[in-house]
Amino acid sequence: MAFHVSLVGRGDLSGEIYRQIRQAILDGRLRPGERLSPTRELAAALTVARSTVTIAYESLVAEGFATSQAGAGTFVSHQLEAKRPASKTRRSTVRAVRVRGVWETILPPTAFARAADFDFRTGLPDASLFPHGAWRRVVSRAVRSREMAAGVYENPAGNRELRAAIARHIGISRSVSGSPDDVIVTNGTQQALDIIARVLLEPGDVVAMEDPGYQPPKHLFKALGTRVIGVPVDSEGLVVEALPAEARAVYVTPSHQYPLGVAMSLSRRRALLAWAERNNAVVVEDDYDSEFRFGGRPLEPLQTLDSAGRVVYVGTFSKTLLPTLRLGFMVVPPSLREAAQKAKFVTDWHTATMAQSALARFIDEGAFARHIRRVSRTYSERHQVLTAAIKSNFGDYLDLIPSSTGLHIAAYARRASVGHIDAIASRAFDLGVAFQRLSACRVDGKPQAGILLGYGAIETARIAEGLRRLRSCFDECVSRRPNAA
């Protein structure tokens, strides 16, 4: 790789070349064993005499930063690996650029930073169940597709075949009404929410969301300058009567409320839509894992019930396939279609063409539907095993919240406080057990003591041992620690 050297306005050209290459070696930009550009090539690139570069290289060799091999070239010395000093921060005397204060309130994601032997964290599917063979075949065909051969930018809304496949799939599996023109392919749910916010919200606008609720949207909306107000959730879902009248948008997870797991009742769904129409607001329906239903009748999505064009429906393939694919979608009402496509364009132009083409084939060939049927049987078994064990073995500590959808369950703590749960989570991780705390899902209300247990990533046979270890942590921490606020 050609190394960039700036000689604009510089004297002592040989010395400048030497100093910049030496600093790149010390910084680690040039690694031990890496070959430096031939003197003739670098001289031509810098429009200097070859002897100017040769003098610089000789100085690097003389000081041990490089080695010269006759007929092979000049290389960064391997002797520097053990003794390279830490690189200095760039110009410490320069005043640091200030960022907006909101970024001081947002922590980088750490929930999945470390692996766990007994992984009850939410939002994770079982990667071992992913149909790698079928996926490789559609990716191989996508590589040879006309879209890849053309080598041009994609429509910001997404691959036409994929949008049509998504529209058919959600029309059949979730009764969502929408044409391919209403579908926009996104890099996961979070980008869909970003697009919605760019299209609809001004700084200072109010966004209402469930409390407790999913944290990334809260951080996103705040980062864009809006005011986020939490609205309580009960056994029927979002409490519509508690919505602030000034809310411009409402973010909800009605099919499987995150984190509590309750489903929004039909009467609440209708009340929310009526509220949105009265208050000229938009409802963002995040249907993140409703493909997995293990009992009860499915309720119609808000988008299906909507007759006024107030609902933006958001879906993801992170739970059904893999989070690493970063593929999601949104179904927008016609009034938002053009603006949403423009917002997608200015954000990143379009989602990766090859992934879109592969997924379109995967859905159209029936592989996606077969995969959902197969993994649903596994997840249903884990759901049964986990809920039965919580009821029988944790009755003195936890009140399980009924749920028959998705990849996680939630439970309120009976005797344990938020402080207890924090201690339990820390102790459990030491024993190889990972779960998430209900208190971490607080929006702006009082944090609640409870736990979330996902069953997507843990093998069925390992659930019992994981819960046995978790039970020991409850016994240890609740009995020995005083109640914390």
Side-chain angles (χ1 to χ4, degrees), residues 108-122:
T110 58
F112 306 108
R114 292 188 292 169
D117 292 332
F118 303 91
D119 200 340
F120 292 103
R121 287 174 290 199
T122 65

Side-chain angles (χ1 to χ4, degrees), residues 240-241 243 245 270-281 310:
V240 176
E241 293 80 3
L243 281 167
R270 288 174 171 161
L272 176 57
L273 293 173
W275 180 92
E277 190 165 2
R278 286 195 310 272
N279 291 274
N280 192 29
R310 293 284 169 186

Side-chain angles (χ1 to χ4, degrees), residues 211-446:
D211 192 1
Y214 186 44
Q215 295 298 288
K218 181 185 80 170
H219 298 319
L220 170 65
F221 294 138
K222 284 189 172 182
L224 293 174
T226 68
R227 289 196 299 131
V228 178
I229 296 178
V231 179
V233 176
D234 63 17
S235 61
E236 292 189 65
L238 181 85
V239 179
V240 176
E241 293 80 3
L243 281 167
E246 68 272 28
R248 182 85 171 87
V250 183
Y251 169 75
V252 289
T253 52
S255 295
H256 186 225
Q257 198 276 332
Y258 190 90
L260 300 180
V262 300
M264 184 182 289
S265 67
L266 182 58
S267 61
R268 286 280 176 87
R269 293 175 188 236
R270 288 174 171 161
L272 176 57
L273 293 173
W275 180 92
E277 190 165 2
R278 286 195 310 272
N279 291 274
N280 192 29
V282 168
V283 176
V284 182
E285 179 178 17
D286 184 356
D287 196 6
Y288 63 99
D289 66 358
S290 69
E291 287 93 346
F292 306 118
R293 174 169 290 277
F294 314 120
R297 292 180 179 177
L299 292 169
E300 287 186 304
L302 290 166
Q303 196 269 358
T304 305
L305 298 171
D306 176 33
S307 60
R310 293 284 169 186
V311 175
V312 178
Y313 182 88
V314 176
T316 178
F317 293 96
S318 292
K319 310 300 182 293
T320 52
L321 293 175
L322 288 176
T324 49
L325 295 178
R326 302 308 304 140
L327 287 168
F329 62 91
M330 56 195 297
V331 181
V332 299
S335 61
L336 300 182
R337 185 189 298 161
E338 183 178 352
Q341 292 184 13
K342 291 176 181 177
K344 170 65 176 175
F345 166 64
V346 301
T347 301
D348 68 350
W349 200 317
H350 63 82
T351 298
T353 299
M354 186 171 67
Q356 292 190 63
S357 181
L359 182 56
R361 288 177 168 82
F362 193 72
I363 296 174
D364 282 340
E365 294 175 0
F368 182 64
R370 290 192 295 272
H371 171 68
I372 294 297
R373 288 195 297 271
R374 184 168 66 92
V375 298
S376 290
R377 291 191 291 269
T378 299
Y379 293 148
S380 176
E381 179 185 9
R382 293 177 186 176
H383 177 268
Q384 293 175 9
V385 170
L386 183 58
T387 54
I390 293 297
K391 289 177 181 177
S392 61
N393 300 329
F394 286 80
D396 51 343
Y397 288 125
L398 298 172
D399 282 328
L400 186 66
I401 302 171
S403 175
S404 59
T405 304
L407 293 180
H408 81 272
I409 59 175
Y412 291 117
R414 303 184 71 177
R415 296 163 49 196
S417 66
V418 170
H420 286 133
I421 298 298
D422 291 344
I424 290 167
S426 177
R427 177 63 181 138
F429 202 87
D430 291 340
L431 299 179
V433 180
F435 67 89
Q436 282 152 306
R437 299 163 294 125
L438 181 57
S439 60
C441 299
R442 167 185 176 271
V443 176
D444 55 18
K446 182 179 180 181

Side-chain angles (χ1 to χ4, degrees), residues 54-104:
T54 300
I55 292 171
Y57 278 22
E58 288 174 349
S59 297
L60 291 168
V61 171
E63 295 190 16
F65 290 100
T67 58
S68 180
Q69 300 177 23
T74 306
F75 300 83
V76 177
S77 175
H78 281 286
Q79 297 177 358
L80 296 172
E81 285 182 299
K83 60 182 182 180
R84 177 184 289 115
S87 61
K88 297 179 181 179
T89 56
R90 189 182 173 193
R91 297 188 182 182
S92 58
T93 58
V94 176
R95 182 181 299 175
V97 177
R98 293 182 60 185
V99 300
R100 291 170 53 219
V102 66
W103 296 107
E104 299 296 330

